[in-house]
Amino acid sequence: MSLIKLSAAELSEKLASGEVSSVEVTKAHLDRIAAVDGDIHAFLHINAKALETAAEVDAKRAAGETLGELAGVPIAIKDVLATLEMPSTAGSKILEGWIPPYDATVVARLRAANLIPLGKTNMDEFAMGSSTEHSAYGPTHNPWDLDRIPGGSGGGSAAAVAAFEAPIALGSDTGGSIRQPAAVTGSVGVKPTYGSVSRYGAIALASSLDQVGPVSRTVLDSALVHDIIGGHDPRDSTSLKDAWPSFAAAARAGAKAESLKGLRIGVVKELDAPGFQSGVTQRFHEALDLLAANGAEIIEVSAPNFEYAVAAYYLILPAEASSNLAKFDSVRFGLRVNPPGGGTVEDVMAATRGVGFGPEVKRRIILGTYALSAGYYDEYYGSAQKVRTLIQRDFNAAFSQVDVLVSPAAPTTAFKLGEKLNDPLAMYINDITTIPANLAGVPGMGLPIGLAPEDGLPVGIQIMAPQRADDRLYTLGATLERLLEEKWGHTLLSQAPDLAPGEMFAATEGAV
Ligand code: GLN
């Protein structure tokens, strides 16, 4: 099979046995990017040193050095993460060309584990959005249908993985930006427990919600990446000091599990909503039936305050974002625009921010500044924080009854480019299923469960677990992945349209 179709775990075996070199694997992915990224636009920047780094890893292996499991495997990195030697723009004009003087901790850990950074992936500006259309550098296209969005804000990472441009990628998830793009591109994505993966060097959107996590085509691959990037970081003040189990071991155990007997799976009533696309609901219930047929107990649970999650999020997020984005002041980073005829420092700042930020970023800065202003603080920000506590209590109550919670990962399949661009509320509501987990800091996984019958596009399930129980996502995720593959006789992404330069093939008929 062609190298680009292999998972990171499969590549790792071939690299370890000497069957292929990291240079060959990296070159295969760079060639794929050259062939199809003109159509997809998953990447904003390709790492000019990728092949050189791959050769270094090959040399280490040849010298008999003991290397980690994913050594020599290429990985794509969301442009929200600071990287040495590569621009880090967070999809914004205001950071165009900015090359950070340091690596984000997660990137440093990838390099230390000898993975090969392939490049930086496209995203909604400062991770604000659900479609990657808010990128200042143009949208990313969904590999399943180039006229459709790849989800957001991490559409670049998800599309890169789904289009076989990279076996694995890093994303960031503040309200769903890993799980929702995974759902609409047929890939796997995990938002870890808040504080379990370092945010140092992740350009902040909303610090109390942001979490970095893996994107991949298999559950095991996400687990392998999570094992590398996770764990305590003294440079992140919210970093947990816990020792974490091996998530790869959890995924491997799940893939082998004979039965799900004894597992209590809660279906969140409020997230199994009548307004969702019918094919999404249908595939979700088929997945539940499959889990039940294999011994899991399916229990309906209610989380009454989830109804207010999106509203609370769109006060808390803009409030934190307006503060985090104050540092883009034309003095310290990136762009500087001098107003015609000169002016004060404030004039330069205003001109720079006026040109450097896109409309969605401006909208949220204004919203957040307003929500935090004297006289409104208690009414808006204070109320939203109270709702956040109620949502956390809903999770606690639910997890006293069940081991994991599930819902569709997104209310619809990928929508058309442009369809929701000028309707912020329609865009915001896309994250109705994913936002509660961010507000409560619990981990969540998006996992493909089939194609919607009405449009042939991928549908995802979301699995959520209590804080610190990320291993449950990997165990159950790997079991479900195996059960689905046994049922279909193939993987979901093997049904993805083949992309060739300037040429698109329709998805295989009668798929999944
Ligand atoms: N779509 C959500 C938003 O626009 C989530 C973004 C994210 O997770 N970074 O805020």
Side-chain angles (χ1 to χ4, degrees):
M1 196 194 283
S2 119
L3 289 177
I4 56 165
K5 294 280 168 98
L6 299 177
S7 69
E10 289 165 340
L11 287 171
S12 135
E13 279 176 26
K14 291 195 185 296
L15 286 161
S17 71
E19 193 182 328
V20 292
S21 69
S22 176
V23 166
E24 286 168 317
V25 171
T26 304
K27 176 136 191 338
H29 287 93
L30 291 172
D31 288 348
R32 174 69 172 175
I33 293 169
V36 303
D37 209 53
D39 285 339
I40 304 287
H41 193 224
F43 285 88
L44 293 179
H45 182 84
I46 301 299
N47 181 11
K49 294 207 165 153
L51 285 173
E52 197 181 308
T53 309
E56 283 164 18
V57 176
D58 285 337
K60 286 184 195 174
R61 202 184 295 276
E65 235 181 83
T66 315
L67 300 174
E69 192 165 348
L70 294 188
V73 176
I75 184 164
I77 298 171
K78 188 177 181 183
D79 204 36
V80 76
L81 294 162
T83 46
L84 285 165
E85 296 164 353
M86 285 189 278
S88 302
T89 69
S92 180
K93 277 272 175 262
I94 211 158
L95 282 176
E96 190 164 16
W98 180 59
I99 299 182
Y102 68 105
D103 272 332
T105 294
V106 288
V107 174
R109 288 184 181 178
L110 294 178
R111 291 197 209 266
N114 291 298
L115 279 80
I116 317 297
L118 270 181
K120 305 298 290 289
T121 58
N122 198 13
M123 55 183 282
D124 286 296
E125 186 175 1
F126 289 107
M128 299 180 188
S130 307
S131 68
T132 315
E133 293 168 292
H134 292 311
S135 167
Y137 303 100
T140 296
H141 299 255
N142 191 318
W144 288 83
D145 178 347
L146 295 180
D147 294 330
R148 292 182 187 259
I149 60 104
S153 64
S157 284
V161 163
F164 302 96
E165 295 174 273
I168 43 178
L170 288 187
S172 68
D173 191 312
T174 306
S177 287
I178 290 175
R179 290 161 288 158
Q180 184 257 4
V184 301
T185 57
S187 44
V188 178
V190 175
K191 180 201 95 70
T193 292
Y194 182 77
S196 69
V197 175
S198 171
R199 290 184 298 108
Y200 178 76
I203 298 169
L205 170 53
S207 310
S208 75
L209 302 161
D210 297 344
Q211 228 4 226
V212 177
V215 184
S216 60
R217 292 191 294 265
T218 69
V219 171
L220 175 60
D221 280 2
S222 272
L224 287 163
V225 174
H226 194 161
D227 282 339
I228 294 169
I229 61 174
H232 181 63
D233 177 14
R235 287 178 160 147
D236 172 356
S237 62
T238 58
S239 174
L240 296 169
K241 293 218 168 78
D242 302 47
W244 298 88
S246 160
F247 298 124
R252 287 186 167 116
K256 284 201 215 102
E258 297 279 327
S259 137
L260 291 168
K261 228 174 172 43
L263 185 74
R264 297 164 306 168
I265 299 180
V267 179
V268 186
K269 194 173 98 195
E270 289 74 9
L271 299 183
D272 188 12
F276 289 11
Q277 187 178 322
S278 66
V280 168
T281 303
Q282 183 187 329
R283 293 297 184 229
F284 175 62
H285 282 271
E286 287 168 4
L288 293 179
D289 292 345
L290 188 62
L291 294 167
N294 284 276
E297 191 184 346
I298 310 288
I299 302 164
E300 186 181 88
V301 298
S302 177
N305 295 293
F306 281 21
E307 188 187 332
Y308 310 111
V310 173
Y313 172 88
Y314 277 99
L315 286 167
I316 294 167
L317 177 137
E320 293 187 22
S322 68
S323 162
N324 275 328
L325 269 55
K327 64 177 165 283
F328 301 106
D329 58 3
S330 76
V331 178
R332 286 173 282 193
F333 302 90
L335 187 72
R336 178 176 303 171
V337 177
N338 291 309
T344 63
V345 171
E346 280 82 7
D347 295 333
V348 175
M349 220 179 273
T352 302
R353 288 167 69 89
V355 171
F357 289 142
E360 182 60 24
V361 174
K362 288 177 184 160
R363 179 180 296 123
R364 295 200 196 187
I365 290 175
I366 292 168
L367 204 61
T369 311
Y370 182 78
L372 288 178
S373 57
Y376 292 112
Y377 182 93
D378 285 334
E379 202 174 331
Y380 293 117
Y381 187 72
S383 309
Q385 289 292 16
K386 285 182 190 154
V387 170
R388 187 170 189 174
T389 303
L390 294 175
I391 287 167
Q392 285 160 350
R393 287 188 193 154
D394 280 357
F395 270 111
N396 291 344
F399 285 129
S400 70
Q401 294 169 261
V402 297
D403 304 303
V404 292
L405 290 169
V406 293
S407 75
T412 67
T413 56
F415 46 89
K416 288 241 160 74
L417 285 156
E419 194 179 318
K420 301 189 180 176
L421 192 54
N422 299 314
D423 185 351
L425 292 184
M427 191 71 93
Y428 295 171
I429 208 74
N430 273 299
D431 298 308
I432 188 166
T433 49
T434 47
I435 280 174
N438 298 81
L439 289 171
V442 306
M445 169 185 282
L447 176 73
I449 50 170
L451 303 178
E454 59 271 34
D455 55 22
L457 294 167
V459 174
I461 192 172
Q462 172 178 228
I463 309 172
M464 293 175 282
Q467 277 184 12
R468 298 178 157 87
D470 306 47
D471 57 324
R472 292 185 200 172
L473 307 179
Y474 291 109
T475 309
L476 176 59
T479 308
L480 179 56
E481 179 181 60
R482 192 204 71 217
L483 292 172
L484 288 165
E485 285 174 17
E486 282 170 4
K487 182 173 150 187
W488 299 332
H490 55 72
T491 64
L492 187 87
L493 273 167
S494 68
Q495 300 302 295
D498 203 357
L499 300 164
E503 202 180 343
M504 281 287 301
F505 298 99
T508 314
E509 288 247 0
V512 200

